[in-house]
Amino acid sequence: CSMASLLFHATDMASASEIESSGGFRPGRKGFAGGAIYFAASYEEAFCRFKGGKRIPEIVVECEVLLGRIFEAGRWTMNQRKCSAAGYDSVKIVDEGVYAVYDPNRITIRSFMSTEEKAAELALAPASTAAVQVEWCGRQLGLVSAELNQVIKAASNEFLQTGDVVKAVRKLTYADGDDLGTQVQYGAQGTLVSDPRAGADWSIRWHGRRLRKAIVSLDQVSKCEPPEFLAVGDVVTASFDLHDSVGDASVRQVREGALGVLKSFRASGELAVEWVGQSVVTSTVLRDYIQKCESRGYLRVGDVVKADCDLNHPVSDASGPEMIKRGDLGTLKSTDPLTIDWWGRSLGLTTASKAQFVKCHPREYVVSGDVVKHLISTTEALASAIPKAELLGRGHSELSDLVKPRMFRIRRLTSMRAQLSRHCTDHS
């Protein structure tokens, strides 16, 4: 039999009362994997995902869930019929940390947690030594200290900043046009090039266009998800076998599934790709020949990884035994061989096999420069400065170039990385 997983579901008071009175959950009508009951791996993740992060939940339900056979799928690609037909019981949404469960009988409720009581509990808890210095977006409060149990890393679609790729949510018309006219069509993509210092409008560079003084307001665009666009430096994969026109037939093939790095966009509309471990080092391809890789689909120097099992090393350090615990975080320093610098340890670079670690989801760790959002008020002064009524308002920070209320940009980590690692592991 499979082991139950401890998962969390955020909801409002009325829904929680219905769940309690009826003795269990009922699948919803829609979601990333169709009508299902959705769970997150941690209290904080469930809290921040409630209603797309636009509302504060009143209750978080702690449950033991028998996930059974888990199908990993992208958003909007799976439903109960497809899942059952493939012989699986539940769905994990790739890169989201969200689980979809279709059978309520697989769920055992452990507790109903009031988010207000949880916030008070965290506020009264002894101060953690794992602290960060953060800057509140849209407020002139300077740097504010916060403990890591008071904030959670924001998802990429929860804020806007200079350099983000966005798409038009409706047709837009400009006074000054280019060779293609004055209109930008629905779905067209562009890059935000400057933030709204004096108002709510952003300057934008529409891709493939030469419009002068193009600006957008936040209700005219939405932030693109990473799979929706390509940028120089992205890791891509060949959609099928590709042939280069240079060299003889035995050495000019790029195999389907081969990994490469997008190096440049050509004026002709083609893309230059540098292939990894292929006989063709660099080739020019059409857009349809390649697909953008999901972040979990490759390893790169600088990736944050976590141990997938306890690891013994022949060298010890001041932290004690030479054991690397399952869930400990580190930075990948080389890929051939695979070497890792474990956070908060003085073991030097240690070698590992692919079976011993996994790549972290971006929300499993926090580093300087990350955007985070609060779970509770971090100080009395902060609580009085940010009234609860402003939860759904919009803020802007001239220093951090972000748009979203009640968020911070981390400016300085004041803790040991080992402490940060343990905190992140607890919620992974």
Side-chain angles (χ1 to χ4, degrees):
C1 61
S2 60
M3 184 179 296
S5 299
L6 184 63
L7 300 175
F8 301 83
H9 177 90
T11 187
D12 55 36
M13 188 65 72
S15 298
S17 298
E18 185 178 345
I19 292 169
E20 186 175 27
S21 61
S22 64
F25 288 86
R26 290 185 300 176
R29 290 177 292 179
K30 60 183 180 179
F32 286 156
I37 306 156
Y38 286 87
F39 292 92
S42 70
Y43 171 94
E44 293 84 357
E45 191 75 16
F47 183 103
C48 291
R49 286 187 174 278
F50 181 63
K51 301 295 184 183
K54 297 177 181 178
R55 290 178 56 193
I56 298 296
E58 296 173 295
I59 300 292
V60 173
V61 190
E62 183 184 45
C63 302
E64 290 182 354
V65 183
L66 290 170
L67 293 171
R69 295 192 67 203
I70 305 171
F71 191 101
E72 295 198 8
R75 296 186 301 170
W76 318 115
T77 63
M78 183 58 59
N79 55 37
Q80 184 176 12
R81 181 181 58 79
K82 292 180 181 178
C83 181
S84 299
Y88 291 84
D89 304 300
S90 60
V91 176
K92 180 180 180 182
I93 309 302
V94 175
D95 284 346
E96 291 290 343
V98 173
Y99 297 85
V101 179
Y102 301 105
D103 183 2
N105 293 321
R106 290 182 167 274
I107 304 165
T108 300
I109 297 173
R110 287 184 52 169
S111 66
F112 291 83
M113 296 181 285
S114 163
T115 56
E116 287 192 2
E117 292 177 3
K118 182 72 171 179
E121 174 189 325
L122 291 175
L124 295 174
S128 165
T129 54
V132 291
Q133 293 291 314
V134 293
E135 182 181 38
W136 191 282
C137 298
R139 293 284 169 168
Q140 304 300 319
L141 300 175
L143 294 179
V144 178
S145 293
E147 308 302 327
L148 278 176
N149 64 354
Q150 296 174 326
V151 297
I152 188 172
K153 190 170 181 176
S156 63
N157 61 359
E158 292 184 296
F159 60 91
L160 285 175
Q161 59 186 344
T162 300
D164 281 344
V165 176
V166 298
K167 58 186 175 183
V169 297
R170 61 175 180 265
K171 186 184 294 185
L172 304 176
T173 303
Y174 291 98
D176 296 326
D178 60 7
D179 294 342
L180 299 177
T182 59
Q183 290 189 332
V184 172
Q185 300 301 315
Y186 167 82
Q189 294 183 351
T191 301
L192 298 176
V193 295
S194 68
D195 60 287
R197 301 278 179 177
D201 294 335
W202 290 69
S203 296
I204 187 170
R205 184 183 70 254
W206 292 107
H207 298 172
R209 303 295 299 271
R210 296 182 178 180
L211 294 168
R212 298 177 56 207
K213 300 180 180 179
I215 60 173
V216 291
S217 57
L218 292 178
D219 61 346
Q220 295 174 331
V221 296
S222 64
K223 189 169 182 176
C224 290
E225 297 290 340
E228 294 184 275
F229 65 91
L230 282 174
V232 172
D234 281 345
V235 176
V236 298
T237 183
S239 300
F240 40 81
D241 289 348
L242 306 176
H243 297 271
D244 196 88
S245 59
V246 179
D248 59 63
S250 63
V251 298
R252 64 188 186 190
Q253 190 174 67
V254 175
R255 296 291 184 182
E256 178 182 353
L259 293 178
V261 178
L262 180 59
K263 304 302 289 186
S264 66
F265 294 90
R266 302 288 172 82
S268 61
E270 295 177 314
L271 302 87
V273 177
E274 183 178 300
W275 299 103
V276 178
Q278 299 292 304
S279 56
V280 178
V281 177
T282 303
S283 66
T284 302
V285 299
L286 297 176
R287 174 64 182 86
D288 293 341
Y289 292 3
I290 60 174
Q291 300 176 42
K292 186 172 182 176
C293 284
E294 295 191 8
S295 62
R296 293 287 184 98
Y298 61 89
L299 287 172
R300 212 175 201 176
V301 172
D303 282 344
V304 177
V305 299
K306 64 180 177 182
D308 204 30
C309 57
D310 291 345
L311 304 175
N312 286 308
H313 287 284
V315 180
S316 62
D317 62 11
S319 297
E322 57 273 15
M323 177 76 74
I324 298 296
K325 296 290 188 181
R326 184 177 187 270
D328 282 354
L329 303 184
T331 302
L332 188 67
K333 290 296 187 179
S334 67
T335 56
D336 189 17
L338 291 165
T339 61
I340 300 171
D341 180 15
W342 296 103
W343 291 7
R345 305 299 299 269
S346 301
L347 301 173
L349 298 183
T350 61
T351 58
S353 68
K354 287 184 179 179
Q356 294 175 322
F357 68 92
V358 294
K359 187 172 180 177
C360 287
H361 185 278
R363 298 191 79 178
E364 291 185 277
Y365 59 90
V366 181
V367 296
S368 294
D370 280 344
V371 179
V372 297
K373 55 186 179 182
H374 87 107
L375 293 172
I376 61 176
S377 298
T378 56
T379 65
E380 290 184 6
L382 198 57
S384 61
I386 312 291
K388 190 172 182 179
E390 290 191 30
L391 279 172
L392 299 181
R394 275 184 176 147
H396 173 66
S397 168
E398 293 188 355
L399 293 176
S400 54
D401 301 343
L402 296 168
V403 172
K404 187 67 181 181
R406 300 181 74 81
M407 283 194 182
F408 306 91
R409 178 180 287 279
I410 290 181
R411 287 304 187 190
R412 183 167 66 251
L413 296 174
T414 59
S415 66
M416 292 289 291
R417 270 188 156 179
Q419 297 164 333
L420 177 60
S421 171
R422 284 197 293 272
H423 171 82
C424 294
T425 301
D426 290 341
H427 304 305
S428 61

